[in-house]
Amino acid sequence: MKSSEVRKKYLSFFASRGHVIIPSSPLVPENDPTTLFTSSGMQPLIPYLLGALHPAGKRLVNSQKSFRAQDIYEVGDNRHTTFFEMLGNWSLGDYFKKEQLPWIFEFLTKDLKLDPKKLYVTVFTGEAGSGSARTGQSLIPKDIESIQLWKEIFSRVGIDAKIGDHASSADARIYTYNARKNWWSRSGEPDKMPAGEPGGPDSEVFYDFGPSTSSGQVWHDSKFGEKCHPNCDCGRFMEIANSVFMQYQKQADGSLKELAQKNVDFGGGLERLVSVTNNSPDVFTSDLFTGAIATLEQMTHKHYAADETDTRSMRILADHIRGAVMMMADGVIPSNKAQGYILRRLIRRSLLYGRRLGITEDWKYIGELVAPFAKIYEDSYPDVLIKTQQIKLLLEEEGMRFGKTLEKGLSEIEKIETLDGHKAFYLYESFGFPWEMTEEIARDRGQNIKRTQFEEEFMKHKDASRTAAAGMFKGGLADHGEETTKLHTATHLLHEALRRVLGEHIAQKGSNITAERLRFDFSHPTKVSSEEIQKIEAMVNEKISENLPVFSTTMKKEEALASGARAFFSERYGITVTVYSVGEKGREFSREICGGPHVAFTGLLGRFTIVKEESLGAGIRRVYATVTKNESAAHPGKISSKA
Ligand code: GLY
């Protein structure tokens, strides 16, 4: 089946059972700064699972865009992806196990037409084993009710479902596991749940690819254990559905308390469900990926399934570009912090694996992978199609920016026989080659490089790089005279005002300052309208009239970036950087990594005017601006000192 068909069937199955279809929340969670991405369907619904009333009622269903950054290194096998769609249905204190389990079985076997004989289920075994699910002092019991329900469900289709565990014989149908496998919360088993987190035992459905091998033999690789079972990692089984009985909340004292309402939280990965309808263990053969894989085949003149290493590279590229596209459609842009940093890592890894497929020169190829995803998500996520040009441009820009670093770094790495933390630092400091990439390449080579060695070097170079950082911006300044210094501070105000008026996508592309004027280049897809120019000027002039203090602090580059300081080509900075802030401490209007110098108070700048705005082509705009003398400046014009 096609993905659109599976998605539609699922939504209408639950809609016809009283569920309201709710839209997917954005990939970047709204009002939840604790996580970078929405990583499950239940995440936006937590308040309602805990008891708040949902405006759409007690039965909800949707397909949620999700992203799991922690799976980035797993991608490349036949089933892991970073971005995925999670089909979810919820009972907010309404129905429970006896409705949920038969419904899921009916959906899988009737609507998706899966052969019941290929389905195996798992149920929570209680405290036995290493799990530690407790309420107060009592243990959370074995889920006898679900076992009984599954026995009845299977018997209705003529299957005598035997009960077993991972060590018992292979003819069991219902397997029991401890909390490590059959307990779900966003942070895993009960011991790992933070106070306040909801969770509960779950019951999963697995699809068996085993008996369908051409030889008729049951497929099991004994290196994963003597006996095969649903949670065996040999690849025979794939988890396709997870009904969580979300009825507990972790307490500050470490115990689990029953919630006032018993909820059902179902999650089923769309990619996997589509693959099993086609009896394929490879999610990358589903229609969600075929367009991108075909494009890659054309580009590389290689066949997807011809060579294991190439297959892996194609999967990584297809997954990472899809993830990047979906993030950008939701407004994320490449940067050095938070979501933007994960996006940057996806794009950089794509370029690395592109090179491994033999695409060495033309970084623009990554832009060609946007169209297949725009097409496949045309109806479900139309934003991808609407923003195609913008996404392509951002991808290509990032590709161009990192492509050269990658080329240089890789040719240097080839010369190094044994990689270690010291060498990783050398690559980072000399070529801006990211630590993660050296680490990944060493891992592929079977070399284990230590982060501690890298950090040691980092500290040793602190003083030397402080000097380097201070020199950075001198290139953009004609001199350190009074007028140039004022215009330099005005440039910081302008940069921030551009972002606030035009959007977070604004990135500095260049800066040149003389005693007469400032010149500033930045990424922006369209002409800046005269209304926007007025707004930007007004914002800068407001900050000038507030006479804000300008001060600098020295910190590690990572700290500066994490604190939200703006950076211009941050790969080029040293390890220790100076951050110039405009505004009272804690209420800064702007923070930028920069070598100075700056005026001490913005009141010294005089009136700010944008005199010209023009295009530099390829999504880059240039503005010229001046400041006039302000006789009523409240403070004498001195160069600011360190705070
Ligand atoms: N919320 C259930 C799951 O993600 O599997």
Side-chain angles (χ1 to χ4, degrees):
M1 280 183 198
K2 293 205 182 314
S3 53
S4 55
E5 202 182 336
V6 174
R7 194 192 288 113
K8 206 165 134 210
K9 278 178 188 285
Y10 176 76
L11 296 177
S12 48
F13 181 93
F14 281 95
S16 68
R17 284 159 185 78
H19 291 65
V20 173
I21 302 175
I22 55 170
S24 171
S25 294
L27 268 180
V28 176
E30 288 163 323
N31 312 319
D32 182 3
T34 58
T35 48
L36 290 181
F37 296 104
T38 304
S39 61
S40 60
M42 59 78 86
Q43 196 168 311
L45 296 173
I46 289 176
Y48 310 105
L49 292 162
L50 295 177
L53 290 182
H54 194 286
K58 292 181 168 190
R59 296 184 178 199
L60 309 174
V61 63
N62 85 351
S63 179
Q64 173 64 46
K65 291 183 278 187
S66 308
F67 187 88
R68 291 189 183 166
Q70 65 271 31
D71 286 347
I72 200 163
Y73 291 118
E74 308 284 337
V75 178
D77 66 6
N78 61 3
R79 59 188 68 194
H80 280 93
T81 61
T82 50
F83 171 87
F84 59 98
E85 264 179 86
M86 182 68 103
L87 301 181
N89 65 274
W90 293 273
S91 156
L92 303 173
D94 187 3
Y95 60 86
F96 208 45
K97 298 176 186 178
K98 73 176 185 339
E99 291 84 3
Q100 175 65 16
L101 297 181
W103 277 345
I104 279 304
F105 192 78
E106 183 183 345
F107 171 69
L108 294 173
T109 55
K110 300 250 171 66
D111 291 60
L112 297 193
K113 302 188 173 38
L114 300 181
D115 178 353
K117 288 201 280 305
K118 285 184 165 287
L119 302 183
Y120 288 74
V121 300
T122 68
V123 176
F124 181 53
T125 197
E127 177 62 7
S130 65
S132 59
R134 289 164 189 275
T135 44
Q137 285 312 305
S138 60
L139 307 180
I140 293 187
K142 187 171 190 147
D143 189 355
I144 310 277
E145 186 184 352
S146 292
I147 294 177
Q148 199 47 44
L149 285 164
W150 281 124
K151 273 190 91 63
E152 288 162 22
I153 291 165
F154 278 112
S155 96
R156 282 200 286 275
V157 291
I159 294 174
D160 175 19
K162 295 201 173 64
I163 302 161
D165 61 28
H166 64 280
S168 61
S169 68
D171 70 349
R173 179 71 54 176
I174 303 167
Y175 284 78
T176 60
Y177 294 91
N178 63 29
R180 240 169 61 72
K181 295 291 180 195
N182 276 91
W183 181 278
W184 200 90
S185 79
R186 286 183 304 167
S187 28
E189 57 214 89
D191 283 351
K192 297 190 180 136
M193 288 164 68
E197 185 69 17
D202 69 30
S203 181
E204 303 177 6
V205 182
F206 286 76
Y207 185 86
D208 180 10
F209 289 106
S212 64
T213 54
S214 50
S215 65
Q217 291 285 305
V218 170
W219 162 18
H220 172 62
D221 184 341
S222 58
K223 90 167 181 254
F224 294 94
E226 195 194 328
K227 300 228 163 73
C228 197
H229 58 101
N231 274 306
C232 171
D233 287 326
C234 73
R236 178 182 152 190
F237 291 97
M238 186 189 264
E239 182 204 324
I240 54 168
N242 182 14
S243 299
V244 185
F245 305 115
M246 198 152 271
Q247 63 190 103
Y248 297 103
Q249 187 180 32
K250 186 76 176 268
Q251 304 298 300
D253 66 4
S255 66
L256 290 161
K257 191 173 158 215
E258 289 247 15
L259 286 168
Q261 66 188 42
K262 288 183 174 178
N263 307 292
V264 172
D265 161 36
F266 173 81
L270 175 68
E271 287 72 3
R272 292 182 176 201
L273 286 164
V274 175
S275 318
V276 296
T277 61
N278 302 322
N279 199 28
S280 164
D282 182 358
V283 299
F284 292 90
T285 59
S286 77
D287 68 324
L288 292 161
F289 288 107
T290 43
I293 300 274
T295 308
L296 280 170
E297 287 184 323
Q298 274 166 19
M299 280 175 192
T300 58
H301 307 290
K302 291 176 187 242
H303 281 293
Y304 170 68
D307 169 274
E308 234 176 78
T309 310
D310 289 345
T311 306
R312 178 165 182 268
S313 296
M314 285 195 197
R315 285 172 179 162
I316 292 173
L317 256 161
D319 169 80
H320 285 14
I321 296 294
R322 181 176 72 152
V325 165
M326 299 312 279
M327 267 188 212
M328 287 189 276
D330 270 4
V332 180
I333 55 159
S335 77
N336 280 326
K337 71 181 235 269
Q339 290 91 352
Y341 178 64
I342 304 289
L343 170 58
R344 183 159 271 175
R345 274 179 66 194
L346 289 178
I347 301 173
R348 289 176 171 185
R349 280 192 98 223
S350 302
L351 290 169
L352 175 67
Y353 283 90
R355 285 187 67 102
R356 291 187 175 174
L357 283 168
I359 318 174
T360 49
E361 281 135 35
D362 186 8
W363 44 264
K364 269 189 178 255
Y365 76 89
I366 52 171
E368 300 305 315
L369 291 167
V370 181
F373 293 118
K375 176 130 192 54
I376 198 79
Y377 291 117
E378 194 174 359
D379 295 324
S380 44
Y381 305 112
D383 265 2
V384 182
L385 186 62
I386 294 165
K387 296 186 184 168
T388 293
Q389 280 317 315
Q390 204 178 324
I391 293 172
K392 224 175 141 206
L393 200 75
L394 280 169
L395 267 178
E396 290 174 356
E397 218 173 74
E398 188 68 12
M400 176 172 62
R401 191 191 297 199
F402 187 65
K404 288 199 177 64
T405 305
L406 183 64
E407 209 164 300
K408 186 82 196 130
L410 288 179
S411 82
E412 285 300 313
I413 277 191
E414 267 166 39
K415 296 179 206 153
I416 303 172
E417 208 167 292
T418 314
L419 283 169
D420 59 19
H422 305 288
K423 304 268 172 36
F425 182 80
Y426 158 76
L427 290 163
Y428 169 74
E429 187 67 353
S430 312
F431 308 103
F433 201 66
W435 148 264
E436 294 93 346
M437 205 150 269
T438 308
E439 205 239 340
E440 176 164 0
I441 289 166
R443 211 168 343 124
D444 285 353
R445 285 190 188 179
Q447 295 169 348
N448 182 7
I449 58 173
K450 292 200 177 71
R451 175 88 195 178
T452 45
Q453 283 180 340
F454 178 83
E455 277 166 5
E456 259 167 44
E457 290 292 337
F458 188 106
M459 296 317 282
K460 264 197 245 161
H461 285 69
K462 205 170 154 175
D463 287 338
S465 42
R466 183 177 295 155
T467 321
M472 247 348 270
F473 259 84
K474 292 201 184 100
L477 291 180
D479 58 58
H480 282 180
E482 197 178 326
E483 293 307 312
T484 317
T485 303
K486 281 194 211 169
L487 283 161
H488 191 189
T489 306
T491 304
H492 282 215
L493 293 176
L494 168 67
H495 187 183
E496 187 59 32
L498 283 167
R499 277 181 173 253
R500 295 193 189 200
V501 174
L502 301 179
E504 278 289 310
H505 61 279
I506 298 294
Q508 177 174 345
K509 295 291 166 197
S511 169
N512 175 277
I513 301 167
T514 67
E516 283 74 41
R517 54 99 184 115
L518 70 84
R519 192 182 80 197
F520 189 75
D521 303 337
F522 57 98
S523 53
H524 185 58
T526 54
K527 184 170 174 54
V528 188
S529 70
S530 52
E531 266 162 36
E532 287 166 334
I533 288 190
Q534 274 172 22
K535 271 194 204 154
I536 294 159
E537 282 179 342
M539 191 177 285
V540 173
N541 282 317
E542 186 187 297
K543 296 301 152 193
I544 292 173
S545 68
E546 285 170 13
N547 197 27
L548 301 172
V550 182
F551 62 94
S552 73
T553 34
T554 305
M555 60 182 86
K556 274 198 204 158
K557 183 177 105 177
E558 270 68 17
E559 258 174 69
L561 295 174
S563 78
R566 309 277 181 232
F568 171 44
F569 284 144
S570 78
E571 287 86 353
R572 285 210 253 127
Y573 291 107
I575 296 304
T576 308
V577 295
T578 306
V579 174
Y580 270 87
S581 308
V582 183
E584 298 291 345
K585 244 201 169 98
R587 289 192 292 128
E588 294 93 334
F589 172 70
S590 129
R591 288 162 59 74
E592 266 194 52
I593 297 179
C594 164
H598 287 276
V599 299
F601 289 91
T602 57
L604 295 161
L605 298 184
R607 191 157 185 80
F608 172 86
T609 317
I610 293 176
V611 290
K612 190 173 176 189
E613 191 271 348
E614 64 189 15
S615 166
L616 284 189
I620 313 283
R621 310 299 301 184
R622 168 170 283 182
V623 291
Y624 291 90
T626 58
V627 288
T628 54
K629 250 194 153 36
N630 180 0
E631 302 305 338
S632 64
H635 294 266
K638 71 175 170 86
I639 304 299
S640 81
S641 57
K642 267 182 72 174

